Amino acid sequence: MEYIIETHALVKRYGDKQAVNRVSMHVKKGDIYGLIGKNGAGKTSLMKLLLGLTSPNEGQITLLGRRELDRSRRKIGSLIETPAFYKNETALENLKRFALLTPTPEEEIRSILRLVGLGDTGRKKAGAFSLGMKQRLGIAIALLGNPELLILDEPINGLDPSGIKEIRDIILELNGKGVTFLISSHLLDELGKIATGYGIVADGVLVEEITAKELAEKCRTSWKIVVDNTAKAAAALRAWQEDLKFDAAGNELHIFSETDSSEVNLVLFRAGVRIYETRSESIDLEDFFIERLGR
Ligand SMILES: Nc1ncnc2c1ncn2[C@@H]1O[C@H](COP(=O)(O)OP(=O)(O)O)[C@@H](O)[C@H]1O
Ligand SMILES: [Mg+2]
């Protein structure tokens, strides 16, 4: 598998604080990877390491398949914390200034502005922009130089619903053109609609990486069946349907399937398994994250 971002046991310490604790993350080309974690979880610290804004104490980073990070980083655009720009200049003037670092024809600059919905802000100065417009200008700056990967730190933090939708639409449009995204958020809702995968961080640790597809499977309705002998029940279910998906823990079975529960009960009954309880349950997406986000 070719990853656009891959880290191995990455560590960043600030004094005694382990802001990034042995993080091994994997972002595939084309992903919209949501880095989810509470405030202080270490999202910004991790992004800064990827971008070379700080150096790791331990661990390795591979970007765009290379360990030669300076070259790869030229293909990465980023927006970390609040974008810094020239308050007394227009969107176009701002972008032209930032384009000095990555020479870009004016036509392309204008097309980037149109893409982020700032194509007709005319003479309006950036200092007078709404928060949403400022974020979009930040994304426009990140887009200079045709990046393959955009790293956006809480790009929708503090935006109202229409502002959130605008940013989402921009992300989806760019992703359709092949741009990979790493986006952080402390709110699942903001990313839930677009992310293709998630990395959940709590207290510096990458607790889990999961694709949106795997997550959907997990959150699908399941049957919880409490039995007297889980091993016996598991064997009976395997014998009945080889590819039946279920977990067994303690005296509980969780069956992830549309299968009729009465059929399952019958199979277990015939195998001599005693059933104490059968209940349909669905894992709530929100619960899934809350459980993993920690304190
Ligand atoms: N420059 C720094 N100096 C000292 N501590 C820092 C610094 N940057 C971050 N931290 C600490 O590292 C932890 C993770 O912070 P951060 O990466 O900003 O989290 P997040 O972006 O998820 O809110 C926090 O406890 C924070 O106080
Ligand atoms: Mg942060």
Side-chain angles (χ1 to χ4, degrees):
M1 175 52 69
E2 178 84 9
Y3 295 111
I4 198 157
I5 301 175
E6 188 175 8
T7 70
H8 178 71
L10 207 55
V11 171
K12 179 66 187 178
R13 282 186 286 268
Y14 293 109
D16 294 341
K17 178 78 196 171
Q18 189 113 323
V20 175
N21 189 352
R22 296 186 63 80
V23 167
S24 301
M25 72 183 302
H26 308 82
V27 180
K28 283 188 301 227
K29 199 169 162 49
D31 272 354
I32 299 176
Y33 186 107
L35 195 62
I36 308 259
K38 292 187 172 173
N39 285 330
K43 305 179 294 296
T44 304
S45 302
L46 178 55
M47 288 177 155
K48 283 183 173 169
L49 290 175
L50 297 175
L51 292 165
L53 300 174
T54 57
S55 322
N57 295 101
E58 290 168 36
Q60 283 100 43
I61 302 175
T62 308
L63 297 171
L64 283 73
R66 287 192 292 260
R67 294 291 305 280
E68 213 189 329
L69 301 180
D70 287 344
R71 254 184 73 199
S72 298
R73 283 176 180 141
R74 276 181 230 148
K75 291 269 123 202
I76 304 177
S78 65
L79 174 56
I80 299 289
E81 291 166 340
T82 21
F85 39 66
Y86 302 91
K87 288 190 174 64
N88 294 317
E89 299 189 353
T90 65
L92 181 63
E93 287 161 353
N94 261 285
L95 222 52
K96 280 184 179 167
R97 259 192 205 268
F98 283 95
L100 292 175
L101 305 169
T102 43
T104 312
E106 171 147 350
E107 197 32 55
E108 199 178 316
I109 292 180
R110 287 181 187 275
S111 101
I112 291 175
L113 280 177
R114 280 194 298 274
L115 186 122
V116 300
L118 296 175
D120 38 49
T121 51
R123 293 170 167 281
K124 191 164 184 152
K125 305 271 194 281
F129 281 7
S130 69
L131 183 60
M133 290 168 81
K134 285 178 181 160
Q135 288 300 76
R136 285 183 277 140
L137 180 56
I139 294 175
I141 292 166
L143 280 171
L144 289 165
N146 265 319
E148 286 177 40
L149 166 67
L150 278 188
I151 296 183
L152 307 178
D153 192 14
E154 310 232 18
I156 28 202
N157 195 9
L159 298 185
D160 59 19
S162 73
I164 292 175
K165 185 175 176 341
E166 280 161 359
I167 302 279
R168 265 199 211 120
D169 290 346
I170 294 167
I171 291 169
L172 286 175
E173 176 165 356
L174 288 164
N175 186 245
K177 293 179 178 168
V179 180
T180 305
F181 283 85
L182 172 65
I183 309 172
S184 69
S185 181
H186 63 282
L187 295 170
L188 168 66
D189 276 2
E190 296 178 345
L191 293 178
K193 291 206 173 79
I194 55 170
T196 58
Y198 302 91
I200 304 172
V201 271
D203 211 3
V205 175
L206 186 67
V207 183
E208 184 157 351
E209 281 189 308
I210 186 166
T211 66
K213 205 171 154 224
E214 288 164 345
L215 186 62
E217 292 249 308
K218 277 201 202 255
C219 294
R220 203 169 68 176
T221 308
S222 68
W223 290 104
K224 175 181 140 181
I225 304 183
V226 183
V227 296
D228 64 340
N229 186 333
T230 341
K232 201 176 181 185
L237 291 174
R238 286 258 171 275
W240 174 55
Q241 270 186 35
E242 220 176 337
D243 55 357
L244 187 74
K245 281 200 163 168
F246 65 90
D247 289 340
N251 62 340
E252 290 181 8
L253 293 167
H254 294 268
I255 303 180
F256 307 99
S257 159
E258 311 290 289
T259 314
D260 190 345
S261 72
S262 63
E263 267 189 78
V264 172
N265 283 346
L266 194 60
V267 168
L268 295 178
F269 175 78
R270 284 192 180 137
V273 176
R274 189 180 276 270
I275 299 163
Y276 296 117
E277 187 187 341
T278 301
R279 188 145 51 97
S280 144
E281 56 178 22
S282 61
I283 305 167
D284 182 61
L285 195 67
E286 207 71 45
D287 291 345
F288 176 86
F289 282 96
I290 288 168
E291 211 172 274
R292 286 160 177 78
L293 288 173
R295 289 137 282 172

